[in-house]
Amino acid sequence: MLLPTLREEVLKANQEIARRGLAPHTFGNVSGIDRSGQEPLVVIKPSGVDYATMKPEDLVITDLDGRIKEGSLRPSSDLDTHTLLYREFPQIGGVVHTHSEFATAWAQACRPIPFLGTTHADYFHGPVPVTDPLTEAEVNEAYVRNTGAVIARRFKEGGLDPVALPGVLVAGHAPFAWGKSPMEAVEHADVLEYIARLAFRSVLLGAAEAGLPAYVGQHHYLRKHGPKATYGQK
Amino acid sequence: MLLPTLREEVLKANQEIARRGLAPHTFGNVSGIDRSGQEPLVVIKPSGVDYATMKPEDLVITDLDGRIKEGSLRPSSDLDTHTLLYREFPQIGGVVHTHSEFATAWAQACRPIPFLGTTHADYFHGPVPVTDPLTEAEVNEAYVRNTGAVIARRFKEGGLDPVALPGVLVAGHAPFAWGKSPMEAVEHADVLEYIARLAFRSVLLGAAEAGLPAYVGQHHYLRKHGPKATYGQK
Amino acid sequence: MLLPTLREEVLKANQEIARRGLAPHTFGNVSGIDRSGQEPLVVIKPSGVDYATMKPEDLVITDLDGRIKEGSLRPSSDLDTHTLLYREFPQIGGVVHTHSEFATAWAQACRPIPFLGTTHADYFHGPVPVTDPLTEAEVNEAYVRNTGAVIARRFKEGGLDPVALPGVLVAGHAPFAWGKSPMEAVEHADVLEYIARLAFRSVLLGAAEAGLPAYVGQHHYLRKHGPKATYGQK
Amino acid sequence: MLLPTLREEVLKANQEIARRGLAPHTFGNVSGIDRSGQEPLVVIKPSGVDYATMKPEDLVITDLDGRIKEGSLRPSSDLDTHTLLYREFPQIGGVVHTHSEFATAWAQACRPIPFLGTTHADYFHGPVPVTDPLTEAEVNEAYVRNTGAVIARRFKEGGLDPVALPGVLVAGHAPFAWGKSPMEAVEHADVLEYIARLAFRSVLLGAAEAGLPAYVGQHHYLRKHGPKATYGQK
């Protein structure tokens, strides 16, 4: 996505997480990346600015190492998590961090969200993973960047595919989600909250921790993502 | 119900499940059937179209085997469940599928909703049943049609009456409800969600799994449905 | 309260329980009583009429035995519970029946709401009682009147004061509340729902079933109701 | 803060707790203090007045011992708790009492809110403490003042800092929060409710009672409050 369009979409995506109730107390931020040029450029929300009054020129543009290229405001304090995810997951074009209420409750409980239903299956191909807690050394060395590092490690060590699992819970913190574009990342963050809300109730009702058989997940995921997709009009 | 009227009602019923919050993220669909002609005709929502902008002419009309008779859009991906229910339950005139939040939580926990109160009794004559999970063979052979088949089997094997129990939970998926007309089916889907929400809380408070004595259910059900109905002005 | 005023207040009170979300799906009704004349007269909501379109002349007026004195519509199907409460509790001037969500969840669990906090103490002088379930004989003989009878019995056998405890949970059904007037009864029904919602969460967090010491309840109740009341401007 | 400005802010802060849903049924009040003059002056909400119609001149002004200096209405019945907190915590400029739903549920369960996440860490430097219950002697001697006394005692005996922990749960009652100003106190009361809501769910999902390691709390607290704060644009 080219930079001027991306700037508009990132602004809209930040307002959208507020509008959908995913970012209570402005705890949340969205970024996007333009990988079309020689040097990839990240567009991100400035820190602590109200969603309602944010303007396109308030957005901050950095390179993949977080060096500011454009913008006079300080970038979101979570910038180094976003850039690390863009470096580690080259397939993604947008990243969302929220403190949405049920996904955050799971993150605080340090539990993955079990695979219990078909809505889950349509978007996440397996349980929603949870990272390890950051060690004291990781916190002290570079808290924000290492938040991204524990996410990347969780995917690498678990052999997980960030396209098939477009979100994660950071232990003791909150969710991150991503997608091809900032708006798709918002959609994934929103569905993640819905899944988290339902799974909370199902688990209290005694849902089996093991979740549904893998063949159900396989069918649903391919129904929506495979070459024979039957959902929608395309 | 004749086709032009039915088309209007099915459109309105689809918008109604969105308005009542029963179909988050457009996960839901309503159909109706016109059994007055030589060949019964099913009217159903097109797949993946936004409720707000849907027009009467967007609806798809099929026969009882799901062959398209009218309409240029692809029908809801759940069509084969709807048609199977119309074939198996000849008394019904409308079918609703939702992912309403509490009914879906029970479906994901694979638990029937116990009969705990009088509102339940006014609409559902016994616990709300839950189907078996689909087997791997059923998923691979014809996932959507077999979703209907496990519903029909649950009613047949349990000796259940689809008029006295106008809804069901599909294990690991979500609820289906039905009624004499599309709008009555919506009403049943809405009450099912209310029942599911209350039962969730009652069960966490320790409600007896066995539920209320059968004589309470009998009384309430007849109060609303029997020949001596005392509810309302009719 | 005189009849024309009462008629207005009962209409308003019925609309109010809908507006406050206490009567989902029109499950709910309010009545009032004029005890000023030779024969006490009860004003009650007609059965199954929409709150939004109800007019003063739709209300039904009966004597204390439920014989219709005025009105062309059928009275609420719960009339016999209301009249029994007016006969048994001569201090009260209004009765409300709701299916408000958390109070109903407690009623379905057949559990009294423990006395856990000061809001509770300001309105209910002790745990909110729950009735016995109706026996099969009671259901078959006169279900609605016996719903009132089990309430009255619960208060009589428990030595409870309907002024100090202006509400009750009917086991397997839902709450009733009352007050000096229909609008005070609505206020009590609304606070009961608030108490039920909080107690649900406190109990899941492990609140002691025994609740707070009696001396706290005593202090709060007298603070609001005693001769030395310190709350408000009167 | 000078008195005329403070009066405006206290009025606005009282309306704000209603607007944010923290003071259901008008259970709640905010005060502020002007410590600039020779004698500190407390501005507080009058008792039992509706938030919507409250005017600046309805506010009551007292000294630190609760003696009325200005205003014709009776002050909030919780005044003596507020003044005691101002005497004991000289750093604070505003006090809020609410009955917000989840914080009150924890208070009713007499449980501190464990430190489970980073939002918690940004505002509260450790678990949110809960007071001892008031003894019978404390209730009978001076209930309201002693509500403040058990809060102060909890902080003194626990070696807690009211700036690092800007709120508390009063056992069997509800939360109090405070801040540099009335509006900051409202912000803390609002975040406390958010924390309480998330912790409720995390605990039901099995979150470790011990909470996160202290080094995470330390990092987050300093990120927002320390000399090297990185959050926001200042």
Side-chain angles (χ1 to χ4, degrees), chain B residues 11-32:
Chain B
L11 173 60
K12 192 179 151 210
N14 274 289
Q15 291 166 337
E16 195 65 14
I17 58 170
R19 197 185 64 80
R20 298 191 191 193
L22 302 172
H25 297 269
T26 76
F27 303 146
N29 40 70
V30 187
S31 70

Side-chain angles (χ1 to χ4, degrees), chain A residues 1-7 32-43 62 64 86 90 92-93 180:
Chain A
M1 204 179 290
L2 293 178
L3 207 58
T5 316
L6 184 60
R7 204 189 261 275
I33 189 165
D34 174 359
R35 298 191 195 260
S36 66
Q38 198 164 356
E39 182 185 49
L41 291 173
V42 173
V43 181
T62 77
L64 264 182
Y86 287 124
I92 68 178
K180 285 196 299 281

Side-chain angles (χ1 to χ4, degrees), chain B residues 125-148:
Chain B
H125 199 197
V128 179
V130 63
T131 69
D132 290 327
L134 274 73
T135 63
E136 184 160 9
E138 284 167 337
V139 166
N140 291 336
E141 188 226 354
Y143 179 82
V144 180
R145 192 188 71 217
N146 284 330
T147 295

Side-chain angles (χ1 to χ4, degrees), chain B residues 5-45:
Chain B
T5 317
L6 183 59
R7 203 190 262 272
E8 291 288 339
E9 182 169 332
V10 170
L11 173 60
K12 192 179 151 210
N14 274 289
Q15 291 166 337
E16 195 65 14
I17 58 170
R19 197 185 64 80
R20 298 191 191 193
L22 302 172
H25 297 269
T26 76
F27 303 146
N29 40 70
V30 187
S31 70
I33 189 166
D34 174 0
R35 298 190 195 262
S36 67
Q38 199 161 356
E39 181 185 50
L41 292 174
V42 173
V43 181
I44 195 163
K45 173 184 172 295

Side-chain angles (χ1 to χ4, degrees), chain A residues 24-27 46-47 73-74 77 99 101-102 104-106 108-109 111 134-136 139 143 172-173 200 204, chain D residues 116-119 123 187 190-191 194 197-198 201-202 204-205 207 212 215 219-220 223 229-234:
Chain A
H25 298 270
T26 75
F27 304 146
S47 179
L73 294 172
R74 191 189 280 192
S77 60
H99 283 219
E101 298 206 353
F102 282 85
T104 303
W106 283 92
Q108 292 192 158
R111 275 179 79 168
L134 274 72
T135 63
E136 185 159 10
V139 165
Y143 179 82
H173 186 165
F200 170 76
L204 292 189
Chain D
L116 297 175
T118 55
T119 300
Y123 287 86
E187 180 67 11
D190 199 2
V191 168
Y194 174 81
R197 198 156 62 234
L198 264 69
R201 293 166 190 154
S202 297
L204 293 189
L205 289 172
L212 298 183
Y215 61 81
H219 175 82
H220 265 267
R223 182 169 89 145
T230 59
Y231 187 80
Q233 295 297 334
K234 55 217 153 137

Side-chain angles (χ1 to χ4, degrees), chain C residues 9-79:
Chain C
E9 183 170 333
V10 170
L11 174 59
K12 192 181 152 208
N14 274 290
Q15 291 165 336
E16 195 65 13
I17 58 171
R19 198 184 64 81
R20 298 192 191 192
L22 302 171
H25 297 270
T26 78
F27 302 145
N29 41 69
V30 187
S31 69
I33 189 165
D34 175 359
R35 297 191 195 261
S36 67
Q38 201 163 355
E39 182 185 48
L41 291 174
V42 173
V43 181
I44 195 164
K45 174 183 173 293
S47 179
V49 171
D50 194 345
Y51 295 105
T53 57
M54 209 185 295
K55 287 187 289 296
E57 59 267 29
D58 293 337
L59 297 175
V60 184
I61 294 177
T62 77
D63 67 14
L64 266 182
D65 294 311
R67 276 180 296 256
I68 293 177
K69 294 293 180 173
E70 251 187 86
S72 56
L73 294 172
R74 189 189 283 192
S76 162
S77 60
D78 293 308
L79 171 66

Side-chain angles (χ1 to χ4, degrees), chain A residues 3 7 42-46 55-62 66-75, chain D residues 233:
Chain A
L3 207 58
R7 204 189 261 275
V42 173
V43 181
I44 195 164
K45 174 184 172 293
K55 288 188 287 295
E57 57 268 29
D58 294 336
L59 297 176
V60 184
I61 295 177
T62 77
R67 276 181 295 257
I68 294 179
K69 294 292 181 174
E70 250 188 86
S72 56
L73 294 172
R74 191 189 280 192
Chain D
Q233 295 297 334

Side-chain angles (χ1 to χ4, degrees), chain C residues 84-99:
Chain C
L84 189 138
L85 292 175
Y86 288 124
R87 292 198 303 269
E88 295 287 333
F89 300 160
Q91 314 94 318
I92 68 178
V95 169
V96 174
H97 175 45
T98 78
H99 283 220

